[in-house]
C-alpha cells in the first residue's frame, strides 16, 4: 500500500519561503509522474506544480510560475516543492499526489495516490 506523507507546512509572512516535502512509502515511485495540489477553504483542489516521472518536464500554472519549484529525489522517494515570494492567496492545504500508472504523462486526479496534506498559511 502506497502512503504519501507531506511535511514542511506552516505559517509565514508574505514574501517569505517554505519548502514542502512528500515522502513515499510502500513502493518506489521513480517511474510515476507526481504533482502538488492545493485546496483553499470553500474552493476546489487545483494543481500548483507537476513533474514527469523522468523529472525532465515540469509544469506550473501562471499563479505560481517563477515563484514555486518542484523537484524529486528518487533515491529518497521524495518529492519537493520550494515556494518563494509567498502571497496570502497561497494559503491552502497542500497535497502531494502520484499517478498510479507508471510512465504516465501527468497525474490523473481520479487515479492517483494522495497524501493527507499540510497547511500553509501566509499572512500579509
Amino acid at each position: 500500500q502506497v502512503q504519501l506523507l507531506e511535511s514542511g507546512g506552516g505559517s509565514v509572512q508574505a514574501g517569505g519561503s517554505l519548502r514542502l516535502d512528500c515522502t513515499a512509502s510502500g513502493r518506489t515511485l521513480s517511474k510515476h509522474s507526481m504533482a502538488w495540489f492545493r485546496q483553499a477553504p470553500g474552493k476546489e483542489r487545483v494543481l500548483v506544480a507537476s513533474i514527469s516521472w523522468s523529472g525532465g518536464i515540469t509544469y506550473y500554472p501562471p499563479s505560481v510560475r517563477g515563484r514555486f519549484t518542484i523537484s524529486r529525489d528518487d533515491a529518497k522517494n521524495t518529492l519537493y516543492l520550494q515556494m518563494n515570494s509567498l502571497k496570502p492567496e497561497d494559503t491552502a492545504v497542500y497535497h502531494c499526489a502520484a499517478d498510479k500508472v507508471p510512465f504516465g504523462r501527468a497525474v490523473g486526479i481520479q487515479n492517483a495516490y494522495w497524501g493527507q496534506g499540510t497547511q500553509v498559511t501566509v499572512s500579509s
Side-chain angles (χ1 to χ4, degrees):
Q1 182 178 359
V2 175
Q3 290 188 327
L4 301 177
L5 181 62
E6 303 96 337
S7 61
S11 297
V12 64
Q13 289 190 329
S17 298
L18 285 173
R19 192 188 81 174
L20 305 183
D21 295 2
C22 172
T23 301
S25 61
R27 70 177 296 177
T28 299
L29 296 178
S30 62
K31 304 305 182 186
H32 296 251
S33 294
M34 300 187 72
W36 288 95
F37 291 77
R38 69 185 181 190
Q39 188 167 19
K43 296 188 177 181
E44 294 184 350
R45 189 172 296 188
V46 296
L47 176 71
V48 294
S50 67
I51 187 166
S52 62
W53 64 268
S54 67
I57 300 174
T58 57
Y59 170 78
Y60 307 91
S63 59
V64 305
R65 194 172 297 155
R67 300 188 297 121
F68 290 11
T69 302
I70 189 171
S71 61
R72 62 191 298 162
D73 185 340
D74 291 331
K76 297 181 179 180
N77 223 19
T78 299
L79 181 72
Y80 304 100
L81 184 68
Q82 178 66 44
M83 305 185 293
N84 299 328
S85 302
L86 283 161
K87 304 175 181 180
E89 51 263 43
D90 294 319
T91 295
V93 176
Y94 284 70
H95 299 265
C96 69
D99 197 67
K100 290 185 177 180
V101 179
F103 307 112
R105 296 181 61 184
V107 176
I109 292 180
Q110 302 301 323
N111 193 35
Y113 303 111
W114 290 93
Q116 291 298 309
T118 185
Q119 176 71 45
V120 172
T121 302
V122 185
S123 58
S124 57

